Each structure stands twice: as C-alpha cells, then as structure tokens.
Amino acid sequence: MEYHSLMYLTVAFLGLLSQCLTRLTPRVSFPMGSPGRLLNRFSSADVSNTTMLLLSEDQNTLYVGSRDAVLALDVSQREAITMKNKLDWSPSETDLEQCSMKGKKMSDCPNFIRVLQFLNATYIYACGTFAFSPRCTYINSKTLTMTSLKPEEGRGRCPYDPYQRNTAITVDGELYTGTVADYRGNRPVISRHLSEGSHVDLKLDDTLGWLEDPTFISSSFIPSEEKIYFFFSEVGREYDFIDKFIVSRIAQICTTDVGGQRTLQRRWTTFAKAQLLCQSDNELPYNVIQDVVTLPPPEGAPADDTLFYGIFTSQWSVNSGQSAVCSFRLSDIKLVFSGNYKVLNRDTLRWSTRVQEKVANPGECGLHNASDNTLRFVKENFLADDSVRPVGRSLTMVSPDQYYSHLVAQRVKIANKRDYTVLFLLTESGYLHKAVLLEKGAHIIEEVQVFEKPQTVKNLQLSISKSMVFVGTSEGVVRVPTANCSFYWNCVQCVLARDPFCGWDPTRRACVDATNTEASLGQDVDTGNVEEACNSGPLITRARFGPNKLPPSTCPAGELVSVSLNEVVRLQCPAASQLARRVWERPNSRLSPDLYLNLEDGSLNFVATPATLGHYLCVATENGYQQTMAIYQVKQKGSPTPQTAASANQPQTHQSSVTHAAARPGMPTSMVNWPKRTETRQRETQPKLPPSNTRVTTGLLGRDFTMWAEESGKKEVQLRNGESLLLSRGPCYLKELVVVSVLLVLCFSVLIMMLLYTIKQRCRSRTAPQASTPTRDSNRGTSVEREALRGSQSVRNKRNRQAMHSGQENGVVCSEAPKGSNGHLPNTPF
C-alpha cells in the first residue's frame, strides 16, 4: 500500500511540473446555422430529452427514447428528418403524486427512456424511470405499439434516477445491464435478464463487494470471445489514500455463464475486472472514464486487434477542464485478465497480491461446471493485479481546453488503400470535433456547433453506410454529415484540410469523397504537402513583396484604397483557416512596428502618410505553404491613378477603413467576403460564384461575423449582435486617442499621488508626540536623543500650527491619528 501511495504522489508531483500541452485548434469552425456546414435537425414542441438513440438495421429509421415517449424518425432522406410514429408512454397522475411524496422534484418524475435495444428484427425492448419506479415493455418496431398493456418490473434493468448513468446491451435476445437495483442507488449490479433455453438470469453477489459505488459508462460484445465487456468508474479500494481515489475499470463476463451448481448459484462465475490506466509518462493519470466506443479490426485482421477508444478526465483540480483520449487493444486486455489476481482480506478489507498457488483463471469461460473449491477461488480473486495500459503506452490525444463527453470512431480507407481513424468528439460547450489520428498526433479537421445550451445527458450514433453522425440532446436530434468535401473550393484547401474523407479530383476540378472512388486524387493526410498533391490542380500564386523582391513597376494593381493623409487605414486580411499565420509585406521596405499595428484578426492598421502610401500584400502560411490572401494599393485621394487593364475593372473606394475578402464558393467560415481583385494566379479556373444571398459565418478568434455577398453593388459587414459595419466608415483616430488617454491617466495619477502625500504629511504632523507626553520611543532613547527631541519640539509645534491652519483652509481635517489593524500607529514597532 505504501508503494502505491508513494508512486501516485510522485506522479502527481511530476504532473504539476510537466510541460504545457499544445492547444488543439480546429482548422475550421462552423457556428450554428453556418451555410458552409448544413445540418438537419428534428425538434418538436411536445418532445424533449431525446437522448437515447437506436438505429435500425437498414439505417433508414432512427428510434429515439425521450421523455414520456418513444419516437420513430425517418432519416432516409438527406434533406430533412421527419417523424414516422410516436408512442406515448407516461406515468399516471397517481404515479406522479407518489413520486412527489417520495421527495422528488416533479420535473424528475416523468418517464425518461434509459434502455432501448433490439431483441430481434421485430421487437424493441424499452425501459424507463417511470416516476422513480422503473418499468420495461416490448415494442413492435414496425407499428411502434406495445405488445402488452401492463409493463414489466424494471428493477435491475433501468435506473430509478433519470440522471443515473447506466448501460444495456442485448445478445441473442438476452438483456445484459449495468445499473443500480434499489431506489437509493446503493446496490450496483451487472445482471442478465430475459434468459432463454438453458440460461438463467444472473447477477453479482451482493455480499462480495465486487463493485464499489460504480458509474456505468458502456458495454460491448465481442463475438469471438463470447464475452461482454463493461466499462465503468468506481472507488479504488486497493489504494490506501486519505480521499477516495476514482479508478476506471473494465469488467468481463461470459455469455455462456449459467452460474454455479452449489457455490455462486444464479451468480456470475466468470466475473473479473481490471483497471484501465490512461496515463503517459511523468503526467497525472486521467482516472475518470466518460465514454467508450468499440472500433472493429481492419478487414482481414484478427479480432485481437479490436480497439476501444475512451474519453478520460481527472479528479484532480490541476487537470480540471482537460480531457484525454486513450485506446486499448483487446489483446492487451486478454493478457491482463489471464495474469495474476489480487486477493481481498475480509478482516482488514485490504487488497494484496496473491501469493498462494493459482487454482483457476478468473474470468475464464466454462467455470460453471468447476468444483466448489475452484469457484470459491474465483469468488475471492476477481481483481486483476496488473492494469490495462493504452496502446503505445501513451495518450492518443489530449485537449487542455476542451471537456469531451462522448465520442464515436470510424476507420476510413482512402484511395491509396491506407487506413485512418477518425474520431467525432462531443464537447460540453456544444461543438462536435472531427479529428484524424496521425503518427505525429491528432489533427482536428473542423468543429461544428450542434447545440447552444449545456447538456447533461447526450448521445452519439454513427451511421457508416449513411455517412452521418446523429447527436441526441434535450433540444432534439441533429444529423451531421461525416464529410464536407464540397466546402473546399480549390486543391490547396482540399489538401490542407487533411481530411481522409476528401481528395482533389484534377479531372472534375473539385474536392470529392475519397472513400467512394478509385481515381488518383490529390490527397496527403499525413503531412498535407500541397506541392506534391496539387501538381495537376490549380495553385495560387505566391507572389512576395518583401524588400528587393519585386520592382515597384511590376507591382500588381491590387485593390485600390483611396485615403486622405493623417487618416487611420485598416486593411483586412482573410484567413484560409484558423491554423494559418498571416504576414503583411511591402515592396522594397519593411513594416516598422512604430508605424504599423497588426491586430489579432489579421488586419493591418497605420496612419496614412506619404511614406505609408503604396502597395501591401497579405500572405497566409499554413503547414509550410504560403498563399496570397489580399493585395492593396493605398493612394491619396485626388492623385492620378494609372489606368491599366487590371485596375479598370475594379471598383474604386474612398474610405479609410476597408474590409476585403475573397467571395468563393465554399469559403471557410474563418474567411470574410471581399470584392474581386486582380491577383496573379497560375492554372486556376474561375469557380462558380455563390448566389447573391449566400451567407457565410465566421467564428475566428471568438468573434462571429456575418458577411453578405455582393448584392446591388453594396457590400456590408454585419456583426452577430446586429450591428452593421459598412465599408463607408469614416476616419478613425484610434492611435491619437490612445496617446491622449495615456497622458491624461498619467497626469491624474501624479496629481492624486501628490494630494495623498500632502494629506499624509499633515496627518502625521498632528499625530507627532508632544514634549509633555512621553512615548515608547522617547522612553527607549538616550538622554542625548531626548534632549534633541525636546529641542526640536518647538519647531514641530510651529509647523503643526501652520499645517492645521492650512488644512482647515483647504477643508482637510485630521480628527484622529491613523492606526493599523493592531491598534498601534502605522509603521511603528510594538
């Protein structure tokens, strides 16, 4: 025990000293309602808490367990989600009154569906909390009607509390659940119900302490092993800590288990559990599991290559708000369960490594026919001595600023026959992150906002054949396409996205689905190398304006910006993505920080002077590739402008603050709309312009803009809160205002300090000791010091009278001597 305690204390200390985690920034962000990421939503005024999702075998119907109802939604059409049937299943008024009399809130007393599983091709088995009195029923999946008017008792199959987490899975028509079996939630149980044939209903032995206040997360059936694995978190009794230490567990049972003949009758004989350790070297462990998903092995690979991806958080405040994703291989899990087991001393309630001879292997299938001696051994030895460690003994991904709650995983085979794993992770803030796992770490391709309000109970369901992710929330059901290839308007953006679902087709000159084609596509998921992947595709010219790089006579005209001298000019630079770094350049000169101000939104601000007139270029760099995003020509109003073929087609503006962006179809949401400009391009075709009412939204750097494409010759920028920012803004004197404000603050600070110093001196003169009043300091001083004090007392009295007279004239009166909190004069010893 001392060893484990010391080990975790050491890990905790090292975790505090560990290096900062790199922030995983989604490349593109789509706020709710963005046209670049169209989603389908289902919601109804009389339907709420649509959190339990069950997809039919043909994946055309989505069954939803909600509050007081079970829904059948038609998801076969890509344009919309419609309701096919609805089964109302709510408690009676008597049930609600009894629930309220138990001290429960009326808002928690309805019937919240918490189990929704297929028994066969015809029937669905559903269980609900039913006013804190669980009930279960059979539902015909075709007609969505109950087969019996009287529901069954749901104790041990469904939780009482709608906020209590549980898990359920059906295998061969039998229901396996992990939940609590009493009203108070003190009897956790893993059990089998609806047993058929020679099987009998089984559960855990309540007296053994096999579970310690668990929170059930998920369950998975592995056919090749004939085992069901349960994932949960519980109190780790094997660690002797002052506070309760939470550990993540994986437990197993065999579907062929029928219980013992004498020992462990109607109890599991194959139950065993082990710790899931999501931890990297020299870091605090992520010890609280939040969700787990099973990823089958690649085609042709053995079942031992099955992976379990889990989201973990930490109970320590130092990791508050962080999430980690770990993956565990089935072969490693089997190895831990076939190893040594700990033994529990029933007298001291302490765990220790087993030292006696191993009689049997706990968790092994077929133990129901074993002897009583063997069953007693597995009854006392059910905790594996070793822990299941993640693949590669490292974390799959870590997010220091996002709290993930749910995930689904998909293995994607691209055109070059390579496999990539894509994770869809749901954040507590309401975004769905799409991440691809690479050798150098995770890359978040995009984030899509799916709900606004925080959700306590959510669910994800992946449809691989439909290429959809379904999100169940209390607000409704949201359908998110797994791929969004048409959003990327050229080869550069298609490759830089590094999306395994998407690749650039040079023949069609479009970003297409890479999983449904055998053609040679421009795609580089691992490195995002644009130069190699886009040899046959259009490339954006990367002209540079740096010093001595481009003669002034050859500068492209760019977008004309006419200004008056001494006006503040703001040049806007659109961003290709949130990962792009934008840099401004001028021909044959450098941008001095004394004259130019670069803001976080990528814009360049400066005062128009003869020295700052001329050409400006904004270059965006992402993954080593540079793109020209904007070219401007700033000139003084009234000065002649050379008429060239390029500049004659451009509209001239007369504003000092202009916002420009490229209006291209599928423009990323982190870009703004800008008029057409004469930028040199190589081998690029003109894409189709979007309709005039196309709306593009950006969530870059926490600021959400709404841009409207050119309509009737008017270009307007509208902020989210409704405030409009027209291109015809007046001059801005931001720099001068800042200088004047700083000077005023300094002057006021000096005046206040002088006034406080004067008041302090006057108050101190009033509290100075008089000649007739002995003080502690005067008593301690020598005779020479006391003589000097008396000699200067007359001078002090004179100054005090002058100060009092002056203070009364100025309205300053010190009524008493200031004292510290200890009752003595400030800054004097006591």
Side-chain angles (χ1 to χ4, degrees), residues 276-540:
L276 288 175
L277 191 58
C278 182
Q279 178 186 12
S280 61
D281 295 336
N282 300 332
E283 288 186 353
L284 281 170
Y286 293 84
N287 59 323
V288 183
I289 189 171
Q290 300 294 333
D291 195 19
V292 175
V293 65
T294 305
L295 185 65
E299 185 177 356
D304 284 356
D305 289 341
T306 301
L307 295 177
F308 301 95
Y309 284 92
I311 298 175
F312 295 81
T313 57
S314 176
Q315 73 178 98
W316 292 288
S317 58
V318 67
N319 281 344
S320 178
Q322 297 179 355
S323 297
V325 176
C326 283
S327 61
F328 304 92
R329 185 175 281 110
L330 178 59
S331 58
D332 297 331
I333 296 173
K334 292 170 59 178
L335 185 62
V336 170
F337 279 126
S338 62
N340 293 327
Y341 280 75
K342 299 179 185 297
V343 61
L344 177 63
N345 189 321
R346 295 293 177 179
D347 297 330
T348 62
L349 297 180
R350 291 179 178 271
W351 289 91
S352 62
T353 302
R354 184 184 53 81
V355 294
Q356 65 267 32
E357 182 182 356
K358 188 175 183 180
V359 176
N361 185 25
E364 183 180 354
C365 296
L367 291 177
H368 53 275
N369 292 323
S371 63
D372 291 343
N373 184 37
T374 301
L375 292 181
R376 280 193 294 270
F377 176 84
V378 299
K379 180 179 178 180
E380 298 291 337
N381 299 264
F382 53 85
L383 177 60
D385 187 43
D386 199 4
S387 300
V388 182
R389 297 185 178 273
V391 176
R393 292 184 175 257
S394 62
L395 308 180
T396 301
M397 65 177 291
V398 182
S399 178
D401 55 353
Q402 292 291 344
Y403 188 93
Y404 294 123
S405 60
H406 294 75
L407 85 162
V408 290
Q410 180 179 355
R411 184 175 283 108
V412 182
K413 184 182 292 294
I414 63 175
N416 62 3
K417 305 305 179 182
R418 291 195 57 185
D419 289 333
Y420 292 91
T421 300
V422 178
L423 301 181
F424 296 91
L425 304 112
L426 191 61
T427 71
E428 287 294 326
S429 58
Y431 281 85
L432 184 68
H433 283 191
K434 176 182 175 182
V436 57
L437 304 182
L438 306 174
E439 293 182 358
K440 295 183 179 180
H443 167 65
I444 301 182
I445 302 170
E446 62 181 0
E447 65 173 3
V448 183
Q449 188 177 12
V450 292
F451 59 86
E452 294 180 351
K453 299 178 181 179
Q455 306 287 326
T456 56
V457 180
K458 301 166 290 292
N459 202 352
L460 291 180
Q461 183 73 47
L462 174 64
S463 172
I464 297 179
S465 64
K466 298 292 184 181
S467 300
M468 296 289 177
V469 175
F470 296 94
V471 185
T473 72
S474 63
E475 301 174 356
V477 178
V478 183
R479 182 172 60 183
V480 183
T482 58
N484 192 29
C485 303
S486 61
F487 172 75
Y488 307 108
W489 69 96
N490 59 22
C491 181
V492 173
Q493 294 301 318
C494 187
V495 174
L496 288 178
R498 302 168 73 178
D499 190 340
F501 290 98
C502 303
W504 181 259
D505 188 345
T507 304
R508 299 166 56 184
R509 294 191 179 278
C511 194
V512 299
D513 189 348
T515 60
N516 297 326
T517 180
E518 298 293 334
S520 177
L521 302 179
Q523 188 180 37
D524 189 355
V525 179
D526 290 310
T527 61
N529 192 324
V530 175
E531 299 287 352
E532 296 182 1
C534 291
N535 284 335
S536 57
L539 290 175
I540 298 179

Side-chain angles (χ1 to χ4, degrees), residues 589-601:
S589 64
R590 298 186 181 276
L591 300 182
S592 172
D594 297 334
L595 300 177
Y596 298 92
L597 178 63
N598 287 278
L599 300 182
E600 291 184 354
D601 61 356

